[in-house]
Amino acid sequence: MSLAQDPGRIRDITRELAAGSLTSVALVQRCLDRIEEVDGQVQAWVHVLKDEALAAARLLDAERKAGRVRAPLHGIPVAIKDIIDVKGLQTRAGSRSRADIAPASHDATIVAHLRAEGAVILGKVHTTEYAYFEAVPPTRNPFGLTRTPGGSSGGSAAAVAAGMVPIAVGTQTAGSVNRPAAFCGVGAFKPSTLSVSGAGIVPLAPSFDTPGAFGFLPEDAVALAAAFAPDHLGLHMPADGPAPALILIKDAFIDRCSEDMRAAVTGLHRTLGEGRSVRFSLEERAGPVPLADIVATHRTVLLAELGRMHRAVPRDRIAPRLAADMDAGLAIADAD
């Protein structure tokens, strides 16, 4: 049984809000009703800020009525991955080791930016433990409840895919934005690594940790990222400039994919290049370094930083694999 549902396009929602045919209060209530309907099965949410979200929506509706619209996300609800601080809520990071942690005294930088832009913080969604591989959260894939939502930002992707919120914030260290989006059939956007502030976010590997965005379509995710990313990334720029280059990487690592996957990537490459509305410049190019070497280097740095960042975490209160990899990371020499 599929519980997937379109939560609405950001462009359509902003148009309805501007026209007065939709209020932020009604939009938030619609999300709350959908959460009540399906989250008992999908289990994406850790904490829903029902009263706080409705109060914020009333304030934002009053601002709009008075002629003040802060930004494109004014009045639109957003979900936050539970490794990101939201003032007044615990940041549990999916771990028993943080069950008794005090509520955050401040918003993470990206949450503060979202509030300033007029977004409504609807609550926290599940993550894997410390945004690593284990332990896994209870969250299910809305397209099939026996299936995983696909990664540490699975709560963010599932909440959008099930129609419980139009946009959600996640993070990526090793695929935790693009993989859950792919598994749950929604859009995502991961800004360039380290281009967005990680202040107020529980670290996994600080050399890679980067906030990312989910929406039902990629353009919805970009609209969210534009609200918390620095302006120099150009996410607010109109999409009427030169067609971007789409590069299909040639690498032995990719050749290990299944035949179906290779055909899908090749087909997408062709489809995007032949689209009627947008034409991309297409290239096939070998990377300067084999992807297998990049993956191995990435894992070395990730484990080393994981161990050093969390050396004080009690190993008996986390998943066995996480504990073992933290210790393995501590054993990696700085020179390596």
Side-chain angles (χ1 to χ4, degrees):
M1 178 182 68
S2 174
L3 294 176
Q5 178 174 292
D6 183 347
R9 301 282 75 68
I10 294 300
R11 66 173 182 268
D12 296 333
I13 292 171
T14 55
R15 188 182 303 118
E16 291 175 48
L17 288 168
S21 57
L22 177 67
T23 65
S24 179
V25 168
L27 176 59
V28 168
Q29 188 61 57
R30 187 168 76 193
C31 291
L32 293 171
D33 291 345
R34 181 63 178 170
I35 291 169
E36 179 68 23
E37 179 184 359
V38 302
D39 197 54
Q41 297 166 278
V42 177
Q43 300 181 72
W45 294 85
V46 177
H47 191 107
V48 178
L49 292 167
K50 178 180 179 180
D51 294 338
E52 295 90 335
L54 287 170
R58 284 191 288 270
L59 174 63
L60 290 161
D61 281 339
E63 288 185 4
R64 184 182 292 275
K65 188 173 181 179
R68 182 191 175 199
V69 177
R70 301 186 190 186
L73 294 189
H74 188 107
I76 298 178
V78 57
I80 306 294
K81 182 179 179 177
D82 191 27
I83 63 165
I84 302 170
D85 286 348
V86 171
K87 184 178 180 179
L89 295 183
Q90 291 179 298
T91 305
R92 296 190 181 98
S95 180
R96 289 189 304 121
S97 68
R98 296 174 65 90
D100 300 322
I101 196 166
S105 58
H106 297 83
D107 286 331
T109 298
I110 61 171
V111 174
H113 281 311
L114 289 171
R115 288 196 202 273
E117 295 268 315
V120 177
I121 307 303
L122 192 57
K124 292 280 202 87
V125 285
H126 278 293
T127 177
T128 55
E129 192 169 24
Y130 286 94
Y132 198 55
F133 298 104
E134 294 183 15
V136 297
T139 307
R140 300 287 84 207
N141 193 313
F143 280 94
L145 297 177
T146 63
R147 298 183 179 274
T148 174
S152 78
S153 300
S156 303
V160 172
M164 292 187 276
V165 69
I167 46 178
V169 178
T171 61
Q172 179 156 307
T173 305
S176 289
V177 169
N178 50 28
R179 186 173 63 251
F183 278 40
C184 292
V186 296
F189 181 78
K190 195 227 96 185
S192 298
T193 300
L194 302 185
S195 64
V196 177
S197 173
I201 300 177
V202 177
L204 171 55
S207 289
F208 309 124
D209 300 340
T210 304
F214 295 85
F216 201 73
L217 293 180
E219 65 189 72
D220 303 315
V222 172
L224 170 56
F228 64 68
D231 288 344
H232 72 261
L233 294 186
L235 301 184
H236 289 290
M237 293 173 63
D240 57 0
L246 184 67
I247 299 172
L248 181 63
I249 298 174
K250 306 295 289 183
D251 190 275
F253 196 81
I254 295 175
D255 293 340
R256 292 161 47 187
C257 293
S258 69
E259 183 178 342
D260 286 346
M261 180 59 75
R262 292 198 303 271
V265 171
T266 301
L268 177 62
H269 188 254
R270 184 183 308 112
T271 298
L272 289 174
E274 296 173 353
R276 294 181 180 178
S277 59
V278 178
R279 294 194 61 84
F280 295 81
S281 62
L282 302 177
E283 298 180 44
E284 292 189 54
R285 192 184 300 175
V289 179
L291 290 180
D293 293 352
I294 294 174
V295 170
T297 301
H298 179 276
R299 176 138 181 96
T300 298
V301 176
L302 188 156
L303 288 179
E305 294 188 353
L306 171 67
R308 287 157 174 76
M309 294 304 303
H310 299 296
R311 65 175 71 239
V313 172
R315 301 304 196 248
D316 62 346
R317 301 197 70 193
I318 59 177
R321 178 180 177 180
L322 178 57
D325 283 352
M326 284 180 176
D327 290 339
L330 279 172
I332 295 173
D334 290 344
D336 293 334

